[in-house]
Every structure is written in C-alpha cells, then in structure tokens.
Amino acid sequence: MVGQVTPSTPPRSDSAPGAARDSSSAAARETAPEAGRDALPEAAGAARHGARDAAPEALAWDVDNCTIGRAMAILGEKWTMVVLREVFTGIRRFDDMRVRTRIPRQVLANRLAALVGHGVLRREPYREPGARVRHEYRLTEKGFALYPVLVALAGWGDRYLADPQGPPIRFVHRDCAAELHVEVHCAAGHPVTDRRDVLPRPGPGARRRRPEL
Amino acid sequence: MVGQVTPSTPPRSDSAPGAARDSSSAAARETAPEAGRDALPEAAGAARHGARDAAPEALAWDVDNCTIGRAMAILGEKWTMVVLREVFTGIRRFDDMRVRTRIPRQVLANRLAALVGHGVLRREPYREPGARVRHEYRLTEKGFALYPVLVALAGWGDRYLADPQGPPIRFVHRDCAAELHVEVHCAAGHPVTDRRDVLPRPGPGARRRRPEL
C-alpha cells in the first residue's frame, strides 16, 4: 500500500533510546516510539522531572493535510465503521442493517449516504418480486481497501474489549480457515513487532507550521 | 494479536466464488469477500437481478458484543484518533495539541479524559520551572497496541486522501528508515493480499440473534 514510497527524508538523530523492557525503565520506554519529543536519548526522562529543554519536534509541522485526520473525517463517526462491518459481513440492505444494528433510521441513512458520497460504498439496484426497485450497498475498491483497517480494529477490540467467551466475528483465510490479523512490515520486508521500532517522520507532503504564538 | 485463536468453526460451504479480476465480472467480484450473503457460488449474481433466495447468513448473528463496535465506541469520534496521532508523534501536552490541531478546548479535554478513562492514555505529572504541576498524556500498553490501527488508517488515507505532494507523516522502521505498512496475514503464516481470501465467520463469542420480526 505505502510500501513503494521511497523515503524522502533521512533518519534523523532525535531517535529516543531503545530502552530495556523491564518496568524500572517505564519512563524511557514510554518515550521511545513517541519520537521527536526528546532531542537526545539522554533527555528521555527529562519531561518527567520538569525542565522542558525544547518543544516537541512534531510541533513544527502542520497537520492540515494529515491523511489520518482525513480518514477519520470519513470514518470517525461511531456508526460508520459499524455500517462498514455490516457490508463486509454480507449485510447490504438498509432494513437488514436496521435489524442487526438498531442504528436509528435517519442516522443509518446519513451514514450510508456519506459513505456513498466518499466513494467507499456504491448503490446497486435490486427488486424483490412484486416490490419496487430498492438499493443494496456494496463496497467499492476504496471500500475494500479498508479491510486492513477493519482487521486491525477487530484485533485490538478482540484483545482488549471482548467478552470472556471471545469475539463474535472472526476474519479467516479462505484457503486454510486460520484467523487473520495485521502485521506491521517495512518496505524493506522486515516485520516490525516492537513499537519502539516505529518512528513517525515528516512525509513528502509535510509543511512547516506557521508559528502563531 | 489474534493469531493464537484456534478456529472454532470449520469453513462453511457458502463461500462465494473466486471470480476473475477483470472488470467484466464486477458483480461476482464485488460479491466475493462479503461472504455469507449467497448460499452457493452459483447464486452470486442473484441479488442483482431480483429474487432474494435467502436472508444473509450474518443476519442470524447478534452484534451486541461486537468488538469492532466496542472499539469504535472508544475511537469513533473524529477527534479521538487525531488526539492519538498527536501522542504517537510526540505531542503530549494539552497546549501543544491545541496549537497543532485547533481542536476546541473543551472537546480536547473531553477526548483526553475519555482516552484516560478507557486506559488508552495515562496522565504523567510534570512541572516547568516556576510553574504549577501539569500533566502530559502518554500511551499505555493498550494505547501502543493501536499502532497497527494507526498505520492501517494512515495507509488508506495516504492512498486515497493525500495531497498530490504526498502525506505529511510517514511511519518508518527505525532500523532501516523504510516506510511501514500493514499486511494481513493468517495464523498459518500466509500473507493475504486478495480481499476475496478474507471470510468473516462467527467467532467463539457469536450468539444467535433472537428474531424480532
């Protein structure tokens, strides 16, 4: 997905330390992946104890064109992802979604219209015998591209929010029926399992923020 | 994350067909990953043309304990994921988040309090010289576990919503500076790149829905 993007900025020297995982170094550990905060590894614990040597690096950057913000402007209503879950699990008709989710009629209509407007869903006519033409909702390519988001969300929800008996939906591999999950990989092919190995960096569209203070 | 879960239900026979990817079979293709809709591969195009042979399989299941719904009850406010992006990129202080995001003060305070309440963020005291004690917001383990969700969201947003020059934030691998992305894998180790290879199935916590009609 983003694997082909060539790094446009070299790694910088403000990496926080890869601290040990034991609880005695909790402060340093928490600091690590939230990179850009501390100018030098040695400063990792400074914020805890008072003096603020420098503003966080990320403060220098504008977020007006942030794609996470834009994604959440589409997906960031509680019901939107639930509507998508319905379509992903084979529920495509308004009344069926109503029955399952109990989303208020007008809210559901609004969410569906918004998802169609954003090109995530498309409307497809159908007609029951003897009834008027109605519409089903189907995923577009842009909608299908949300599968990793849905699987990632489900993975987190399953881990922290499931009932004792487990989650009600599983996503499985058609070929082998084994459970699906998302893995973070880098474009060079390495699996990235340690959160400390993830660094946020200004991307090609990063713009310096105009100071207002 | 969910990789250790043992499949508790065998693969069923209602798989939609693995249709060819050319645009002439768009209807069948769109149908495929939304499994459970059609009872047999041959019925894949039926809904399009009218007769509804059977209700979608998923309709039989309750969604009250859905972990995606629960995850979105926490994350499903537009600003919540943006607040998490701030913390992930090293912005931990209320006033810094205000400067960057321009989220209204009360909204930001509410989102931070909710994230602390859900155990996604924790408050950490700090004191600037000569000032009163204030708090920073840091990710808990539960919060760090959202990294794959954030990377997945960013990947989708980068692909469909970025400005022409590209996204403003990149997540890179500390070791090699290559861009990160999420991959869907199954517990048996297969990478799953085709959306038709993903099947939603009732999980261990699935409950039959009580019919209300």
Side-chain angles (χ1 to χ4, degrees), chain A residues 1-2 5 7 9 15-16 27 30-35 37 47-48 50 52 56 58-59 61 63-67 70-72 75-78 81 85 87-93 96 99-100 102 122 124-128 136 138-139 141-142 144-149 152-153 155-158 160-163 165-174 176-188 190 192 195-207 209, chain B residues 1-2 5 7 9 15-16 30-31 33-35 37 47-48 50 52 56 58-59 61 63-67 70-72 75-78 81 85 87-93 96 99-100 102 122 124-128 136 138-139 141-142 144-149 152-158 160-163 165-174 176-188 190 192 195-207 209:
Chain A
M1 194 177 298
V2 295
V5 178
T9 42
S15 314
E30 294 285 330
T31 311
E34 305 165 52
R37 180 60 222 285
R48 246 198 143 171
R52 180 182 208 180
L59 254 191
W61 302 95
V63 291
D64 282 354
N65 59 343
C66 174
T67 48
R70 288 179 187 175
M72 290 313 290
L75 308 173
E77 313 271 358
K78 177 187 168 192
M81 215 62 201
R85 174 202 67 198
V87 184
F88 272 111
T89 53
I91 307 289
R92 298 186 187 136
R93 300 184 180 185
D96 291 343
V99 164
R100 285 237 307 175
R102 297 183 208 125
R122 60 183 178 78
E124 181 85 7
Y126 72 94
R127 187 203 291 264
E128 300 264 14
E136 294 190 328
R138 288 167 182 256
L139 294 159
E141 280 299 324
K142 187 175 178 181
F144 277 119
L146 282 167
Y147 234 125
V149 175
L153 266 176
W156 186 75
D158 291 353
Y160 290 103
L161 309 170
D163 282 344
Q165 59 268 44
I169 300 178
R170 302 159 56 234
F171 293 102
V172 302
H173 189 193
R174 176 188 298 271
C176 70
E179 189 112 3
L180 300 179
H181 60 279
V182 296
E183 295 178 5
V184 179
H185 284 247
C186 79
H190 311 120
V192 177
R195 68 197 193 201
R196 289 176 297 245
D197 291 337
V198 179
L199 293 181
R201 284 284 171 257
R207 295 194 298 248
R209 200 172 57 80
Chain B
M1 194 177 294
V2 292
V5 177
T9 43
S15 313
E30 294 285 329
T31 312
E34 306 165 51
R37 181 62 224 282
R48 242 195 144 175
R52 180 180 208 180
L59 255 191
W61 302 96
V63 292
D64 282 355
N65 59 340
C66 174
T67 47
R70 287 180 188 173
M72 290 313 291
L75 308 173
E77 313 270 359
K78 178 185 168 192
M81 215 63 198
R85 174 202 68 198
V87 183
F88 271 111
T89 54
I91 307 291
R92 298 186 188 138
R93 297 183 182 186
D96 292 343
V99 164
R100 289 237 304 175
R102 298 183 208 125
R122 59 183 179 77
E124 181 84 6
Y126 72 93
R127 188 202 290 263
E128 299 265 14
E136 293 190 329
R138 288 168 181 253
L139 294 160
E141 281 298 324
K142 187 176 178 179
F144 277 118
L146 282 167
Y147 234 126
V149 176
L153 265 176
W156 186 75
D158 292 353
Y160 290 103
L161 308 171
D163 281 345
Q165 59 269 42
I169 300 179
R170 302 160 57 236
F171 293 101
V172 303
H173 190 194
R174 175 188 299 271
C176 70
E179 188 112 4
L180 301 180
H181 60 278
V182 296
E183 296 178 4
V184 178
H185 283 247
C186 79
H190 312 120
V192 177
R195 67 197 192 200
R196 291 177 296 247
D197 291 338
V198 179
L199 293 181
R201 285 286 171 255
R207 294 193 298 248
R209 197 173 58 80

